[in-house]
Amino acid sequence: MPLGSDSLFPPVRRRSYVFITCFVLVAVTFISLLSSSVWNIRPSPYLPTGGSQETWSQNPQGEHDPYHHQYFLKGPPTERFRDNLLPNVKYITSWISAGWTNDVMTYINLIYLGFLTNRVPIVGMFTPSHIGGHVPPINFGDVFDVPRLAKALRLPVVEWHQVKNLTHGDLDELGCWNLWEAVQDREHMARRSSVPDLLKLDISYTTAPTGIKLIPRYEHDQHASFSSLAALSFPETRAENLVEPRASPYHAVKLPPDEQVLCYDYLYYVSAHQPFEFDFDFSPAWLFVGQHMHWTAELESITDGYIRRAFGTQEGQPTPPWISIHVRHGDFRNWCEGETKDCFAPISVIARRVEEVKKELLERKGLTVDYVIMTSDERDPKWWEEVTAQGWFGLDHSQTEEIYGPW
Ligand SMILES: *[C@@H]1O[C@H](CO)[C@@H](O)[C@H](O)[C@H]1NC(C)=O
């Protein structure tokens, strides 16, 4: 999970993170099984703008969907993004700049800030940082079910490709806040990201005040607080903190942070209460956004196929319930200081956690789960033998790239 390459946690803490990761992933699977019926008490801050779109938008069940992106844009993607924005709607956006898991968390933080700032989040694409630049990006909505998310949140979630025609669009100028330079001292620039170029944006950055830091003046952590970023989005605090913007890279324009499309360079390092709080029960980003994210129906169906083949489920039989574990070893070795034996959680420890999850599922949901799936980038056949000796299943990915591409 949150193991950014620029994480400044000391080695001891990092090591415990490797262990924690395994447990968290078991827990995440468990939570995803439970989260289908979530209580939503939040009143909607948005109403359909009405009249802006002729199309009455409906969700796949044929119900009227007031959070459909078309209500929050003028129409199909335009060559300049501003031509598609509704004058009475305010938006918020940001870019990703890490590995895929961190990028998902970054977009969750962005959407959560949508609530705090009373703005419609515009989410970008996922970039193939973990595979290589030759692979095209993937839209957020091709991975996560955005209409379902928006409905659960009662907050519209718009995607950049719906706002702007990214193949034929022009270069747009935009003023954004640079948080990165306010929270750390090593890099004297806004956080690097490939997303603005993909969106054809020419960004002029205004450095945010260092007061946004979650732990004031503490150089060993680089989190900003959600509330300070929310405050920066409102006119008074914004005005108090305006400094000379930096010239944009293409047109060399200097623009203050945009008032209609609020944007921040990077939102991975944002917390409400303490750094790296995502795996705590109080994490508001998880509580109010993360837990409502579901894979698209297409991904669910591909997954179901892989799982049924692994289990040997007969046609006409339902897929049995399962618990999955993802154990990432590959690059996590770098945090182990040479010796992985005492660094990675052994299978016996994971098995104990799996038993705990099984027990809880039985107690809380009356569900007996017999099937366990392990996914991992570990190549050691001995390790996999230990996995299958538990009666657990692996998935056959020998043809995945051929059929579906690199990701
Ligand atoms: C982008 O613009 C081109 C040229 O007008 C058009 O052919 C294409 O369909 C547009 N793409 C989208 C996603 O609207």
Side-chain angles (χ1 to χ4, degrees), residues 76-77 79 161 164-169:
E79 292 187 359
H161 69 89
K164 177 170 175 172
N165 186 324
L166 300 177
T167 46
H168 286 74

Side-chain angles (χ1 to χ4, degrees), residues 22-74:
C22 301
F23 307 151
V24 164
L25 286 161
V26 173
V28 165
T29 306
F30 171 51
I31 289 163
S32 69
L33 278 165
L34 293 181
S35 64
S36 48
S37 57
V38 168
W39 187 40
N40 199 327
I41 51 168
R42 183 178 296 277
S44 169
Y46 296 104
L47 292 171
T49 51
S52 66
Q53 267 295 325
E54 303 82 57
T55 349
W56 276 110
S57 310
Q58 296 191 332
N59 67 18
Q61 289 77 45
E63 298 160 1
H64 171 63
D65 176 8
Y67 304 103
H68 196 284
H69 72 268
Q70 285 184 325
Y71 288 113
F72 301 90
L73 295 172
K74 284 187 182 161

